[in-house]
Amino acid sequence: MKKIFLSVVVALFMSSAFAATATDTSNTKSNYVETYKELSKLLNTYAQLEGIGEDTVVKVRIVINENHEIVVMSTSTDDDFLNNYIKTTLNYQKLEANELASGNGLVFLVKFMK
């Protein structure tokens, strides 16, 4: 059984503009450090994943709901296993970092490596 390591790419697409309401520049790229750490921790819950044959990068789009929970809006993968893994791991998990306000979103990359 091959070990699959999951890492969230730090060079993320930090576009929260798709759900942002104003041109507030106080939340710049460097202000999401805690959010990325928390997302990485959530996605690294399983040290071994089966069903991944090669290294894969998946673009994930999330939004924060009124309960400060993560809602996965979309993923860029056609692989049902990865799509399901990302959605079940992140959906409706409480986000402790307060860097994203309710209604705001974030787009980032997740790299699955074998």
mmCIF file of all heavy atoms in Angstrom, residues 9-42:
data_model
loop_
_atom_site.group_PDB
_atom_site.id
_atom_site.type_symbol
_atom_site.label_atom_id
_atom_site.label_comp_id
_atom_site.label_asym_id
_atom_site.label_seq_id
_atom_site.Cartn_x
_atom_site.Cartn_y
_atom_site.Cartn_z
ATOM 1 N N VAL A 9 -0.846 23.599 -1.074
ATOM 2 C CA VAL A 9 0.151 24.456 -1.683
ATOM 3 C C VAL A 9 0.018 25.852 -1.095
ATOM 4 O O VAL A 9 -1.066 26.413 -1.031
ATOM 5 C CB VAL A 9 -0.040 24.500 -3.212
ATOM 6 C CG1 VAL A 9 0.974 25.415 -3.854
ATOM 7 C CG2 VAL A 9 0.053 23.102 -3.791
ATOM 8 N N VAL A 10 1.159 26.379 -0.621
ATOM 9 C CA VAL A 10 1.138 27.688 0.016
ATOM 10 C C VAL A 10 0.920 28.788 -1.010
ATOM 11 O O VAL A 10 0.290 29.798 -0.722
ATOM 12 C CB VAL A 10 2.435 27.924 0.812
ATOM 13 C CG1 VAL A 10 2.472 29.304 1.415
ATOM 14 C CG2 VAL A 10 2.602 26.865 1.879
ATOM 15 N N ALA A 11 1.420 28.559 -2.209
ATOM 16 C CA ALA A 11 1.198 29.542 -3.265
ATOM 17 C C ALA A 11 -0.219 29.357 -3.787
ATOM 18 O O ALA A 11 -0.462 28.824 -4.845
ATOM 19 C CB ALA A 11 2.210 29.355 -4.370
ATOM 20 N N LEU A 12 -1.165 29.794 -3.017
ATOM 21 C CA LEU A 12 -2.580 29.551 -3.290
ATOM 22 C C LEU A 12 -3.180 30.686 -4.107
ATOM 23 O O LEU A 12 -2.717 31.818 -4.073
ATOM 24 C CB LEU A 12 -3.333 29.429 -1.965
ATOM 25 C CG LEU A 12 -2.799 28.362 -1.033
ATOM 26 C CD1 LEU A 12 -3.397 28.513 0.339
ATOM 27 C CD2 LEU A 12 -3.114 27.001 -1.577
ATOM 28 N N PHE A 13 -4.228 30.335 -4.790
ATOM 29 C CA PHE A 13 -5.008 31.374 -5.435
ATOM 30 C C PHE A 13 -5.828 32.034 -4.340
ATOM 31 O O PHE A 13 -6.810 31.490 -3.869
ATOM 32 C CB PHE A 13 -5.947 30.781 -6.490
ATOM 33 C CG PHE A 13 -5.242 30.264 -7.684
ATOM 34 C CD1 PHE A 13 -5.049 28.912 -7.847
ATOM 35 C CD2 PHE A 13 -4.777 31.132 -8.644
ATOM 36 C CE1 PHE A 13 -4.398 28.423 -8.950
ATOM 37 C CE2 PHE A 13 -4.121 30.654 -9.745
ATOM 38 C CZ PHE A 13 -3.932 29.301 -9.897
ATOM 39 N N MET A 14 -5.407 33.175 -3.922
ATOM 40 C CA MET A 14 -6.023 33.828 -2.782
ATOM 41 C C MET A 14 -7.079 34.812 -3.255
ATOM 42 O O MET A 14 -7.015 35.981 -2.964
ATOM 43 C CB MET A 14 -4.948 34.514 -1.975
ATOM 44 C CG MET A 14 -3.841 33.583 -1.640
ATOM 45 S SD MET A 14 -3.475 33.670 0.011
ATOM 46 C CE MET A 14 -1.763 33.960 -0.023
ATOM 47 N N SER A 15 -8.007 34.295 -3.935
ATOM 48 C CA SER A 15 -9.049 35.135 -4.490
ATOM 49 C C SER A 15 -10.316 34.992 -3.676
ATOM 50 O O SER A 15 -11.066 34.052 -3.836
ATOM 51 C CB SER A 15 -9.308 34.745 -5.940
ATOM 52 O OG SER A 15 -10.449 35.377 -6.402
ATOM 53 N N SER A 16 -10.522 35.919 -2.807
ATOM 54 C CA SER A 16 -11.778 35.904 -2.071
ATOM 55 C C SER A 16 -12.748 36.891 -2.700
ATOM 56 O O SER A 16 -13.804 37.169 -2.159
ATOM 57 C CB SER A 16 -11.529 36.244 -0.599
ATOM 58 O OG SER A 16 -10.964 37.525 -0.491
ATOM 59 N N ALA A 17 -12.408 37.365 -3.874
ATOM 60 C CA ALA A 17 -13.212 38.391 -4.533
ATOM 61 C C ALA A 17 -14.549 37.861 -5.026
ATOM 62 O O ALA A 17 -15.496 38.626 -5.175
ATOM 63 C CB ALA A 17 -12.435 38.993 -5.691
ATOM 64 N N PHE A 18 -14.651 36.556 -5.266
ATOM 65 C CA PHE A 18 -15.906 36.053 -5.814
ATOM 66 C C PHE A 18 -17.060 36.174 -4.839
ATOM 67 O O PHE A 18 -18.202 36.178 -5.232
ATOM 68 C CB PHE A 18 -15.765 34.611 -6.332
ATOM 69 C CG PHE A 18 -15.761 33.558 -5.257
ATOM 70 C CD1 PHE A 18 -16.939 32.952 -4.870
ATOM 71 C CD2 PHE A 18 -14.582 33.167 -4.662
ATOM 72 C CE1 PHE A 18 -16.934 31.976 -3.902
ATOM 73 C CE2 PHE A 18 -14.566 32.197 -3.698
ATOM 74 C CZ PHE A 18 -15.744 31.598 -3.307
ATOM 75 N N ALA A 19 -16.776 36.323 -3.542
ATOM 76 C CA ALA A 19 -17.844 36.486 -2.568
ATOM 77 C C ALA A 19 -17.691 37.755 -1.741
ATOM 78 O O ALA A 19 -18.487 38.015 -0.860
ATOM 79 C CB ALA A 19 -17.896 35.277 -1.641
ATOM 80 N N ALA A 20 -16.668 38.522 -2.026
ATOM 81 C CA ALA A 20 -16.426 39.744 -1.264
ATOM 82 C C ALA A 20 -17.419 40.813 -1.673
ATOM 83 O O ALA A 20 -17.873 40.863 -2.807
ATOM 84 C CB ALA A 20 -14.997 40.229 -1.482
ATOM 85 N N THR A 21 -17.731 41.681 -0.736
ATOM 86 C CA THR A 21 -18.740 42.690 -1.033
ATOM 87 C C THR A 21 -18.151 44.084 -1.242
ATOM 88 O O THR A 21 -18.768 44.914 -1.872
ATOM 89 C CB THR A 21 -19.752 42.770 0.114
ATOM 90 O OG1 THR A 21 -19.059 43.023 1.324
ATOM 91 C CG2 THR A 21 -20.518 41.471 0.231
ATOM 92 N N ALA A 22 -16.988 44.347 -0.707
ATOM 93 C CA ALA A 22 -16.397 45.677 -0.828
ATOM 94 C C ALA A 22 -14.957 45.560 -1.280
ATOM 95 O O ALA A 22 -14.407 44.479 -1.371
ATOM 96 C CB ALA A 22 -16.464 46.402 0.510
ATOM 97 N N THR A 23 -14.332 46.699 -1.521
ATOM 98 C CA THR A 23 -12.942 46.715 -1.934
ATOM 99 C C THR A 23 -12.035 46.914 -0.729
ATOM 100 O O THR A 23 -11.107 47.710 -0.768
ATOM 101 C CB THR A 23 -12.700 47.827 -2.978
ATOM 102 O OG1 THR A 23 -13.096 49.068 -2.381
ATOM 103 C CG2 THR A 23 -13.484 47.558 -4.240
ATOM 104 N N ASP A 24 -12.289 46.217 0.317
ATOM 105 C CA ASP A 24 -11.488 46.298 1.537
ATOM 106 C C ASP A 24 -10.152 45.613 1.287
ATOM 107 O O ASP A 24 -10.100 44.430 1.004
ATOM 108 C CB ASP A 24 -12.223 45.614 2.691
ATOM 109 C CG ASP A 24 -11.467 45.689 3.993
ATOM 110 O OD1 ASP A 24 -10.545 46.528 4.098
ATOM 111 O OD2 ASP A 24 -11.800 44.904 4.893
ATOM 112 N N THR A 25 -9.065 46.351 1.388
ATOM 113 C CA THR A 25 -7.742 45.794 1.125
ATOM 114 C C THR A 25 -7.028 45.376 2.398
ATOM 115 O O THR A 25 -5.861 45.048 2.364
ATOM 116 C CB THR A 25 -6.870 46.827 0.377
ATOM 117 O OG1 THR A 25 -6.780 48.009 1.178
ATOM 118 C CG2 THR A 25 -7.445 47.137 -0.981
ATOM 119 N N SER A 26 -7.717 45.353 3.526
ATOM 120 C CA SER A 26 -7.068 44.949 4.773
ATOM 121 C C SER A 26 -6.764 43.463 4.803
ATOM 122 O O SER A 26 -5.855 43.030 5.476
ATOM 123 C CB SER A 26 -7.932 45.337 5.973
ATOM 124 O OG SER A 26 -9.152 44.629 5.929
ATOM 125 N N ASN A 27 -7.532 42.645 4.066
ATOM 126 C CA ASN A 27 -7.266 41.214 4.004
ATOM 127 C C ASN A 27 -6.441 40.911 2.759
ATOM 128 O O ASN A 27 -6.966 40.570 1.719
ATOM 129 C CB ASN A 27 -8.567 40.402 3.973
ATOM 130 C CG ASN A 27 -9.205 40.310 5.326
ATOM 131 O OD1 ASN A 27 -8.526 40.479 6.334
ATOM 132 N ND2 ASN A 27 -10.494 40.048 5.355
ATOM 133 N N THR A 28 -5.150 41.058 2.867
ATOM 134 C CA THR A 28 -4.265 40.762 1.756
ATOM 135 C C THR A 28 -3.816 39.319 1.840
ATOM 136 O O THR A 28 -4.144 38.603 2.768
ATOM 137 C CB THR A 28 -3.054 41.707 1.770
ATOM 138 O OG1 THR A 28 -2.365 41.530 3.012
ATOM 139 C CG2 THR A 28 -3.476 43.155 1.614
ATOM 140 N N LYS A 29 -3.027 38.901 0.882
ATOM 141 C CA LYS A 29 -2.585 37.517 0.797
ATOM 142 C C LYS A 29 -1.905 37.033 2.067
ATOM 143 O O LYS A 29 -2.068 35.907 2.457
ATOM 144 C CB LYS A 29 -1.644 37.343 -0.390
ATOM 145 C CG LYS A 29 -2.311 37.518 -1.718
ATOM 146 C CD LYS A 29 -1.342 37.317 -2.834
ATOM 147 C CE LYS A 29 -2.002 37.541 -4.170
ATOM 148 N NZ LYS A 29 -1.118 37.316 -5.288
ATOM 149 N N SER A 30 -1.145 37.867 2.711
ATOM 150 C CA SER A 30 -0.394 37.440 3.883
ATOM 151 C C SER A 30 -1.264 37.288 5.122
ATOM 152 O O SER A 30 -0.818 36.751 6.123
ATOM 153 C CB SER A 30 0.737 38.432 4.164
ATOM 154 O OG SER A 30 0.190 39.698 4.461
ATOM 155 N N ASN A 31 -2.504 37.732 5.083
ATOM 156 C CA ASN A 31 -3.369 37.677 6.258
ATOM 157 C C ASN A 31 -4.120 36.359 6.426
ATOM 158 O O ASN A 31 -4.844 36.202 7.389
ATOM 159 C CB ASN A 31 -4.384 38.818 6.226
ATOM 160 C CG ASN A 31 -3.746 40.154 6.470
ATOM 161 O OD1 ASN A 31 -2.613 40.232 6.905
ATOM 162 N ND2 ASN A 31 -4.462 41.211 6.183
ATOM 163 N N TYR A 32 -3.967 35.409 5.525
ATOM 164 C CA TYR A 32 -4.709 34.157 5.607
ATOM 165 C C TYR A 32 -3.864 32.998 6.123
ATOM 166 O O TYR A 32 -4.225 31.840 5.936
ATOM 167 C CB TYR A 32 -5.293 33.785 4.239
ATOM 168 C CG TYR A 32 -6.318 34.776 3.742
ATOM 169 C CD1 TYR A 32 -6.095 35.516 2.598
ATOM 170 C CD2 TYR A 32 -7.502 34.955 4.431
ATOM 171 C CE1 TYR A 32 -7.035 36.419 2.141
ATOM 172 C CE2 TYR A 32 -8.451 35.857 3.982
ATOM 173 C CZ TYR A 32 -8.208 36.579 2.842
ATOM 174 O OH TYR A 32 -9.140 37.475 2.390
ATOM 175 N N VAL A 33 -2.794 33.281 6.804
ATOM 176 C CA VAL A 33 -1.869 32.257 7.271
ATOM 177 C C VAL A 33 -2.577 31.246 8.168
ATOM 178 O O VAL A 33 -2.446 30.029 7.989
ATOM 179 C CB VAL A 33 -0.662 32.893 7.995
ATOM 180 C CG1 VAL A 33 0.217 31.840 8.625
ATOM 181 C CG2 VAL A 33 0.125 33.759 7.044
ATOM 182 N N GLU A 34 -3.334 31.707 9.141
ATOM 183 C CA GLU A 34 -4.024 30.803 10.066
ATOM 184 C C GLU A 34 -5.105 29.989 9.353
ATOM 185 O O GLU A 34 -5.304 28.818 9.657
ATOM 186 C CB GLU A 34 -4.625 31.582 11.237
ATOM 187 C CG GLU A 34 -3.589 32.181 12.164
ATOM 188 C CD GLU A 34 -2.651 31.139 12.765
ATOM 189 O OE1 GLU A 34 -3.149 30.078 13.204
ATOM 190 O OE2 GLU A 34 -1.436 31.378 12.783
ATOM 191 N N THR A 35 -5.779 30.601 8.402
ATOM 192 C CA THR A 35 -6.802 29.887 7.636
ATOM 193 C C THR A 35 -6.167 28.744 6.854
ATOM 194 O O THR A 35 -6.687 27.622 6.850
ATOM 195 C CB THR A 35 -7.530 30.846 6.678
ATOM 196 O OG1 THR A 35 -8.146 31.882 7.451
ATOM 197 C CG2 THR A 35 -8.593 30.127 5.874
ATOM 198 N N TYR A 36 -5.042 28.991 6.189
ATOM 199 C CA TYR A 36 -4.372 27.957 5.413
ATOM 200 C C TYR A 36 -3.845 26.840 6.305
ATOM 201 O O TYR A 36 -3.926 25.667 5.951
ATOM 202 C CB TYR A 36 -3.238 28.540 4.582
ATOM 203 C CG TYR A 36 -3.738 29.470 3.511
ATOM 204 C CD1 TYR A 36 -3.191 30.726 3.355
ATOM 205 C CD2 TYR A 36 -4.776 29.101 2.668
ATOM 206 C CE1 TYR A 36 -3.667 31.585 2.383
ATOM 207 C CE2 TYR A 36 -5.253 29.958 1.695
ATOM 208 C CZ TYR A 36 -4.685 31.191 1.555
ATOM 209 O OH TYR A 36 -5.156 32.039 0.607
ATOM 210 N N LYS A 37 -3.326 27.198 7.476
ATOM 211 C CA LYS A 37 -2.860 26.171 8.415
ATOM 212 C C LYS A 37 -4.013 25.277 8.840
ATOM 213 O O LYS A 37 -3.874 24.059 8.927
ATOM 214 C CB LYS A 37 -2.220 26.817 9.642
ATOM 215 C CG LYS A 37 -0.848 27.378 9.409
ATOM 216 C CD LYS A 37 -0.283 27.969 10.684
ATOM 217 C CE LYS A 37 1.063 28.615 10.451
ATOM 218 N NZ LYS A 37 1.591 29.248 11.677
ATOM 219 N N GLU A 38 -5.152 25.883 9.110
ATOM 220 C CA GLU A 38 -6.314 25.117 9.544
ATOM 221 C C GLU A 38 -6.859 24.232 8.416
ATOM 222 O O GLU A 38 -7.212 23.070 8.648
ATOM 223 C CB GLU A 38 -7.399 26.066 10.045
ATOM 224 C CG GLU A 38 -8.475 25.380 10.819
ATOM 225 C CD GLU A 38 -9.399 26.346 11.539
ATOM 226 O OE1 GLU A 38 -9.036 27.529 11.724
ATOM 227 O OE2 GLU A 38 -10.494 25.904 11.907
ATOM 228 N N LEU A 39 -6.914 24.759 7.201
ATOM 229 C CA LEU A 39 -7.354 23.955 6.061
ATOM 230 C C LEU A 39 -6.408 22.785 5.828
ATOM 231 O O LEU A 39 -6.845 21.661 5.570
ATOM 232 C CB LEU A 39 -7.449 24.820 4.807
ATOM 233 C CG LEU A 39 -8.588 25.832 4.770
ATOM 234 C CD1 LEU A 39 -8.418 26.786 3.598
ATOM 235 C CD2 LEU A 39 -9.938 25.131 4.713
ATOM 236 N N SER A 40 -5.124 23.040 5.937
ATOM 237 C CA SER A 40 -4.131 21.985 5.761
ATOM 238 C C SER A 40 -4.298 20.904 6.821
ATOM 239 O O SER A 40 -4.248 19.707 6.521
ATOM 240 C CB SER A 40 -2.730 22.587 5.836
ATOM 241 O OG SER A 40 -1.763 21.586 5.701
ATOM 242 N N LYS A 41 -4.528 21.306 8.054
ATOM 243 C CA LYS A 41 -4.718 20.345 9.144
ATOM 244 C C LYS A 41 -5.966 19.496 8.903
ATOM 245 O O LYS A 41 -5.950 18.280 9.096
ATOM 246 C CB LYS A 41 -4.830 21.086 10.468
ATOM 247 C CG LYS A 41 -4.945 20.192 11.668
ATOM 248 C CD LYS A 41 -5.011 20.997 12.948
ATOM 249 C CE LYS A 41 -5.223 20.076 14.141
ATOM 250 N NZ LYS A 41 -5.337 20.825 15.392
ATOM 251 N N LEU A 42 -7.045 20.119 8.464
ATOM 252 C CA LEU A 42 -8.276 19.378 8.184
ATOM 253 C C LEU A 42 -8.084 18.370 7.054
ATOM 254 O O LEU A 42 -8.564 17.237 7.125
ATOM 255 C CB LEU A 42 -9.409 20.340 7.834
ATOM 256 C CG LEU A 42 -9.990 21.160 8.976
ATOM 257 C CD1 LEU A 42 -10.898 22.259 8.424
ATOM 258 C CD2 LEU A 42 -10.747 20.272 9.950
#
